[in-house]
Every structure is written in C-alpha cells, then in structure tokens.
Amino acid sequence: MLTLLKFQNNLKRFLNQPHQKTYLLAVSGGVDSMVLAELFRIRDLKFEVAHVNYHLRHEDSNLDQTLVSDFCKKHKIPFHLYEVSEKDEQPENSIQNWARELRYRFFREIQQRENLDFLVTAHHLNDQLETFIMNLSKAAGIRGLSGIPQNENGIIRPLLDFSKEEIYDFAKQNQIEFREDQSNQKTDYLRNKIRHHIVPELEKINPDFLNNFSNSINYINQAKDFIDESVNEKIEALKINSSENQIIIDKQKFSEESELIRYEILKRFGFNDENEMQKVLSAQTGSLFFNSDFQLIINRNELIFKEKMVDRRWRMEEIRLEIIKNEIIIPENVKIEIQEFGTCFWKIDKNKIQLPLKLRRKQEGDLFFPIGMIGKKKISKFFKDEKLSILAKQKIWLLCDADERILGVLPFRQDGRFVSENSSDYLEVRV
C-alpha cells in the first residue's frame, strides 16, 4: 500500500536529506503525477511544477492544463507551462519520441533557470514492468532488463516501487482530483499492447506477479551495478596504456577472462555481437573491426580501441566556438554525449565571461561550481558521482571561457557562477 510514510522512506533510500533539496515535478494531470504532486505538497518539500500542453487531444488537453494550473494556484506552487505550437514542427511519425524530447528539453530549461536540484517524474511499478517486457523482446541485456532507474542523471522517480493500483487507492483515499488520458486505452503502441493484453494474463497466472517482479527487478539492478563496477575494474586492470582517444588492453589477459567479462568489455566499445568476440580472440595482427564510434585494431598482444575521428577538429585538444546571434554554436561534428534526459539549454551571462569560448577535454585538477550544489567540485569527483564509465569520461566536453574557467560540463551541469538571471545580455547554448 502507498502511504505517506512509505513514500518518505522510499525517497530517503536514494536521497540524503530530501527536505534540503529542490525539485521540478513533471505533472500531466493524470493520477500518477497528481498523486506525486500531492505527496510532495503534504511532505512540505520545496518544488515547482512543469506541464506541457501538446494540444493533441483538443479540449481534453486544455482541461488537463487547467487541472494542474488550478492545483498550483490553490497551493501557491510555481507553475511552468509549455504550449506546443506550429513552430515545434510535429512529425508525421515518431510522435512519442518527438514529444519526449520536447518535454525534457523544456523541463531541463526550467530546472537550470530556477536552479532546481532534481527533475521528478511519476513513473511507477507498472511502467517498470512494461519497460522490462519491451526490453526483453529486444534482447537488451542486463542493462535493459534492469529497467527504469530510480535516480540517474538528476532525474528521480520516487513512485517506482508502487503499483498503479496503489496509486489509484491513494488518490481515492485522499480525494485527489485527476484526469484520465483516454489515449492510454488504445493499443496503437507496443507499450499499450503490453499493458492491456500481456500484463493482465501474467497476473491471472499469478495474482502476486507484480510484487514478485518488484523483488526481481531489485535483484537485477544489484547485479547490474556489481557487473558495471567489476567491468570498470577489469578494464583498468587490463589496460596497458590510454590517451584521450584510445585505450590499449592486454589481449592475452583479456582472453583469460570469463565470457561475460569479455562480452561486457567489448560492449563498452560498441561491439555488441557475441560472434564478434570469437573473431576478435582469433584475429591476426593487423586485423580491424569497426562500429559507429570505435575501431578495434589487433596489434600482436594488444587490443587497441580507438575512437573514430570524423573531422580533424576532433584531433585538437581545444575547439574554438563561434557565436551567432547570441547563440553558442557547437560544431556538427562534435559529438556530445546526450544522456537520458535528452538535451540541455543554458543561459550564460555575457558580462561574467571572457571571449572567445572553447570546448576541451578534462584536465588534471579541473573544478567548477555546479548549479544546484553548494561550493565547488572537482570534475573528476563529479564524473564519479554521475557513475560515468572510463569510456564515457573520455568523451565529455567542458565549455570554457578565455580565462580557462569552466562554464559547464556538457550536457550535465552548468556552472552556477555564470548563469544569466536578470541580465538581458546573455549567450545561449543548446545541446
């Protein structure tokens, strides 16, 4: 059963001192997000609300907006609205992906502007099960089967351990007003097919199926974390040498590892085919393997994983940036590692920085003042807190000014010292 105490304890499991943090809640008007908002309100947590009106369901969309805005007005909660219009260029297909990218861009923009620590979504246990089944059908591996994370990349999901039924019960007991999205009843999308056809059959077989699944997904997540940590340690142990764009590991020692470790190491470099692993182990000196991001070179007893260079600028330690109409232009060939939340939108006070601006990789001793945090933090410690793998760390770009001050870690976090608040003289960076 979803209770206030259980919710509070669940929040404390992955957040230290939640009352000292600030939050942006994504609220659609459905039962999940309205319950989430009420729980945050009852617990007197410091939060604001963001709502996107896609205008896809005509008057129903407007009624959703009214419900959320009225809730915020009644309880004096800051309310942020994005109304989709023709300028947003809705595609003919892939509407779900388009809508997701649009709303997360909006959420991150508000989060950055209002200096809020976490984005909060109302994903619940049924969402977790549906995602698991979808990924199972794609042979997604342990990372895919671990499902939706409770706390990752600044997004928290405190309802993830509670079922849809529990959320409905809480709404009824506490007389929480919400609206049903009738489009969820359609079976046009795979997720809705799983929700309405597959999950009910599983619950017929075992009425306690959802609770058992909750326990199983926790075990899978623990196993994933253990494997991730072990693989990182193994890469370090097998590493002969490394530079900004390549890692060299010992082929003989690699071949002596378990099949699971060998597969997971190759997967970190984008080589996901199990058959490819056998080809690598038996390949002669000079053999080459390619994927979209890396090339693997067999050199005697070495496996050389080299990041592909699609442009000579990638070989440069620094990339000078252009500014067009107050927008900082990221060159198309510079690959930014977009995380789950999709994109970032920063406003930088032009009066606080020195031009020109540039991108560069991390250097020893680098530090910045992350927005939403108190004080400074070393970039290396920030990477560790974000649980970035050794490979991911090597791909991250830092946005710096001419005085070598770090303006932000793309696309994770902006430096709070340079955020444009009231100034009209600012630069924008969109990723």
Side-chain angles (χ1 to χ4, degrees), residues 235 238-252 254 265-266 269-271 280-281 283-291 293-309 391 394:
I235 291 176
L238 298 174
K239 185 171 68 176
I240 298 173
N241 197 359
S242 67
S243 64
E244 180 183 345
N245 298 314
Q246 73 176 25
I247 292 179
I248 303 174
I249 67 175
D250 189 304
K251 182 183 176 184
Q252 180 59 39
F254 173 82
I265 289 175
L266 288 177
F269 295 93
F271 298 98
V280 168
L281 292 174
Q284 300 297 313
T285 293
S287 297
L288 296 174
F289 299 84
F290 297 91
N291 60 43
D293 295 315
F294 285 91
Q295 61 178 353
L296 168 56
I297 305 168
I298 311 298
N299 182 33
R300 297 181 182 176
N301 194 37
E302 295 177 342
L303 298 179
I304 304 173
F305 296 92
K306 192 170 184 179
E307 189 177 8
K308 279 188 176 179
M309 301 297 176
L391 301 179
Q394 294 184 340

Side-chain angles (χ1 to χ4, degrees), residues 18-44:
H19 274 87
Q20 295 185 11
K21 306 294 191 301
T22 55
Y23 309 89
L24 179 66
L25 271 60
V27 181
S28 67
V31 63
D32 315 320
S33 59
M34 292 304 293
V35 164
L36 180 69
E38 180 66 8
L39 286 165
F40 268 69
R41 187 191 70 81
I42 295 172
R43 289 305 307 149
D44 198 27

Side-chain angles (χ1 to χ4, degrees), residues 10 13 17 49 65 70 89 95 99 105 120 141 222 226 236 241 249 252 255 291 342 359 367 373 376 412 418 421 425:
N10 197 42
R13 277 199 302 113
Q17 299 178 316
V49 164
Q65 176 186 320
D70 286 351
E89 298 179 356
I95 290 179
R105 184 188 302 124
V120 190
Q222 292 174 39
F226 177 77
E236 286 295 324
N241 197 359
I249 67 175
Q252 180 59 39
S255 67
N291 60 43
L359 293 178
L367 54 85
M373 299 182 184
K376 61 187 177 183
F412 292 89
F418 309 104
E421 296 172 350
D425 193 11

